[in-house]
Structures are given as structure tokens and as C-alpha cells.
Amino acid sequence: MVHEPSFRELVSAKTRFVVPVGVLTLGAYLGVTALAGYARGFMSQSVVGAFSVGYLLIFGVYVMTWAVALVYVRVANRRFDPKAAEAIADLEARR
Amino acid sequence: MRVLTLVIFLAILGITLAITTWAARRTTTTSDFYTAGRSLGAPANGFALAGDWMSAAAFLGFTGLAALYGMDGSLYAVAALVAFLMILLVVAEPLRNTGKYTMADVIAYRMQSSPARLAAVLSTVVVNLAYMVPQMVGAGALAKLLLGIPYGVSVIFAGVAMVLYVAFGGMLATTWIQIVKAVLLLSAAAVVLVWILVLFDFNPVNLFDGVQDKYGPQFLAPGNLLTHPLDEVSLGLSFAFGVAGLPHVMVRFYTVPDARAARQSVIWVLFLAGAFFLVTTLIGLAASYYVGKDAIVAADKGGNLALPLLAQHLGGGAGTLGGQAFLAFVAAVAFATILAVVAGLTLATSGAIAHDLYVNVIKGGEVAEREQVRVARMSTLAVGALAILLGLLAQGINVGVLVVLAIAVAASSNFPIIVLSLFWRRFNTAGVIGGVAAGVVSSVALALLGPAVLGADAVFPLVNPTIVSMPIGFAGAVLGTLLGGGEAVAQTRFDEVTFRAQTGAGAEV
């Protein structure tokens, strides 16, 4: 069943999206934590008044998380779900 | 004040018991008990997940950390949000597609062996108890401080309430109690937020400026709590992978009809809980500005009363009617939060004991439907009794380490075995056992040797052991797999697991 072309297509489409997006967002987030650990001076620099680079980056992580999640759900609903339905139909047709 | 808190709290208790009565009439089958019949919509499950995740550790803890330690508190809060992105991308949908009632089901579905299920049960119980005890201690400490009720009495009270909710109302009651609590908590936070914004002319920068004028620029810099630089990264790893391994969060994905609804419910959590986590920074800073760090520490060493004290201040201060009313409301919400989260933990733990241990391992799956529900209710009672006992024993000890531990064990033991079961063809029973053994032992040992327990004499320098213990957990799983040799069943099942995890074909309905 896993050698069904429609299933291979589903898995590779998911992998092509989830792996780079996951690695990039996790990398960006862990990058912010690394800056908080190793670049404390940089994180304390002012952006507006006492609102510093660190707080801005943390806020950026919120925005990034929300944006990536919305994009993922859109892609999953539109591209992955139909492909999954196709893979199930192909499997049933073969049986 | 005490009377007012009590009245509000009794009103919340009345609502939760009414929900339980309603849910009990709808809970007859095993699937009803563990998963609310897989009938919840994405918004309901999303609110309930947000309720699970906005525990007392978030409501009282994150605000307190931001009030006492500045940016490190905000890093804790954002870590809790990023966690759900990893859940969305990696585990939510495969879990919904392959699981039945518990976390161990996912492992056992692939391995078809009792030892693998037992290892997953062990890991589930360690994580859940480590997570439950701080909640019980929090309930006791909060009621003692705000209501003058003795510690033991409120721990027993919390234990009895959660057993009632879960034993009678199962997952349906637990879910709706979480939803009610999430709405209350978000309303409380929204009121506080608007109040703060009014006071600072709708410009949060004014709040940052005010705090900096009062405590100096060092207060807003990172590193006030997590002094070791690597600890900031380890904290991030803990949350990013640990939450995906928390059994009481995982079982929530079984309550929706399909993977699409599981996916949508994560969006609800990300926006509901995320908005709340974002606001904890402002609430914490406002608390340190108005109430003052010294007064916060004087009320509770860990800073856990920053939000209640801020509410009292905003309402008009101690002794005024407004101050008392607002404090009473926030305190009652905090207590309700603890009850709801403990109920979720109790349900997930009794699933591991009744469904995994008794029904599948001891009885080999041959147990009548009616009997399964009865056993689930009995094990709820046992878990409740154990939670009360541990809560009483834990009075006065530093519970912060237990939260760190729960999430580190989840990241180092549960997460590796779940991910490898879903995505690695060669993974086998010996790998599950190796992963659990290495992950549990390394995270528990490193947490006990770290600064959270030993303070300045710490042998291991980091509060969050995950950056070391998670690789050890994965290494144990890989080593176990290689030593265990080829396991025919585990390999042939992999194709089926992969197909089902990715498409939802044959998933439990």
C-alpha cells in the first residue's frame, strides 16, 4: 500500500513542505533563545525607549508561529487532504 | 474578601458539578469515557486544549516570572506557544489517525507487544504525576494564602472534586470544565490587559519605560533567571518537544472526528493561548511596576501571586471593595484552573492504568465493554487518592523542579518513542524500552543534580536538562533498536502505520 504512486505523492508533498518549514521556524526560534543566552547586550539594545531588541524578537516569534500555522492549515486543507483521499481510493480500488 | 472569594468559587464549583451531571448521562461506552465519543468540534477541542495548556503554571507562573525576572519570563511564555507549532506540524494528525484512547496505543499499534506498551505506560505515569503534584501543591498553597483554609483540606478537596468530574463525567465533563475555565481565565486576563492599557495610554512602550525607570535596564535584559547561557536554549528545546510528549495533551486529539479537526483545533489553541501568553509579559511588568518586586516576593517566593496582587491593586488596593472583588475573582479563577488541569491529568493517567495496564497487558484485551468503563472509573479513584497523598507529602518542597522534570521527561522519553514509532521503519520493542529507560533516567537524574534542587552546589549546571537528556533518550532508542535486532511484526506494521498515520484510513471513529 505504501508503494501506491498516489501515496508516495502525498508523502513527498508533505515532506517537501513540513521539513523545510519546521526546520526554519524551529531554527529561528532557537536562534532567539541562543541570542538571549549568548548576546545579552544585543538583546538589551533599545528599539523604542525601554522596549528592546529582545522583546521585539520574542514578539516576532509569536507572529511567525501564527503565520506558519495558518499557512500550514491552508496547504493541508487544500493540497494534502485531497491527495490523502486519492490514496485511500486507489488502495480500495486495488483490493 | 474571603467570603467573596468563597462565593465566586462555589458558583464555579456549582457550574462544574452541573456539567459533570449532564456529561455523566452521556458517558456509557469506553469511547465516551476516554474520548467523549470522538464527537467534539475543532473549536470545542481548541478551547479545551487551551484550557489544558493555560494551567496555573501559566496563569500564575509566567506572570510571576515576567514580574520578577523580566525577559526570561517572556521567553518561558513564548516557548509554550512554539510548542504547539511543533505539535501541529509533526504529531497532531498522525496521533489522531493511529491512536485509540492513550499515548501507549500509538506505540502498541505499531509494535503489537506488551513490553513496548508497558514502557509507554511507565513514561506516561512518571510525566503525569510529576505534572500533577505541583498543581495539587499550588491548590493547597493558594487556598491557604487567600482563604485561610488549611493546606491539607484544600488538597483533599481538589482531589475529591477532580475524581467526581472524571469518574462520572469522563472526557466530556473534563472537556467542558476546561472550556468554562478557559473562558473565565481569558476574560480575567482581558480585563486586566485593558485596564493596564488605559493606565499607560494604550502604549505598551510606556509600561516598559516605567519599569526600566524603576528597576534599571538590567531588569529587562535576558539572563536574570536562567543565568547559564545554554539554559535559554535548553528551555526552548524542552518546550518545543516536551509538550508534544505530554500524554494529557496528546489524548485531546482523540476527541475530534478526524485529522482535519485535529489540525483546526491546534489553530484555536495557538490563537487563544498564544494571545494569553503574549499578555503575561505585560501583566507581569505591570505587577512589578505597581505592586513592586519586593511585595510580590514577600507574598510568595516564586512570584506566583503577582497577578492576584496586581488585580487587587487595580481594583483599588487592599481593603477597598473593588480591590477585594477583583482579587477574589482572579483567585477563584486560579483555583478553577487547577481543578480543570488536574482533571485532565487524572483522565490521561487512569487511561494508562485501566486501558493499557489492566485491559491490554494483564487481560490481553479480553475485557467486556461494561467492565472496561467500570475499571476506568475505579482507576480514576486510585489515581485521585495517589494525587492527594503525593500533594500532602509535597507540602513545602520546591515544586518548580517537578514542572521542569515533567516536561523534560516528556521531551526525552515520550517524544522520541512516538516520533520513531511513526517515522522509523527499523524501530522495535527493544528500541521503545531503550528510549524510555535512557530518557527517564537521564532527565530525572540531571534534574535532581541541577540548580533547581541543589542550588549553588549543583553538579549539573542547567535548570532544564533537555538539551542533554533528549539526545540521550534518542540514543537509547536507537541503541535498543540495533541491539534488539530485526523484529518482523514491527517492520511489517510500519507500512500500515505510515499509511494510516498519513491518510487516516482505518482510523478509530
Side-chain angles (χ1 to χ4, degrees), chain A residues 33-44, chain B residues 222 229:
Chain A
T33 64
L35 287 174
Y38 293 96
R40 287 171 175 166
F42 170 71
M43 294 295 262
S44 306

Side-chain angles (χ1 to χ4, degrees), chain A residues 14 50 66 72 77 81, chain B residues 93 209 226 260 263 270 502:
Chain A
K14 273 193 175 179
W66 286 327
Y72 170 76
N77 287 348
D81 284 354
Chain B
E93 298 171 42
D209 285 340
L226 299 171
R260 191 186 176 101
R263 183 190 300 152
L270 283 169
Q502 299 304 326

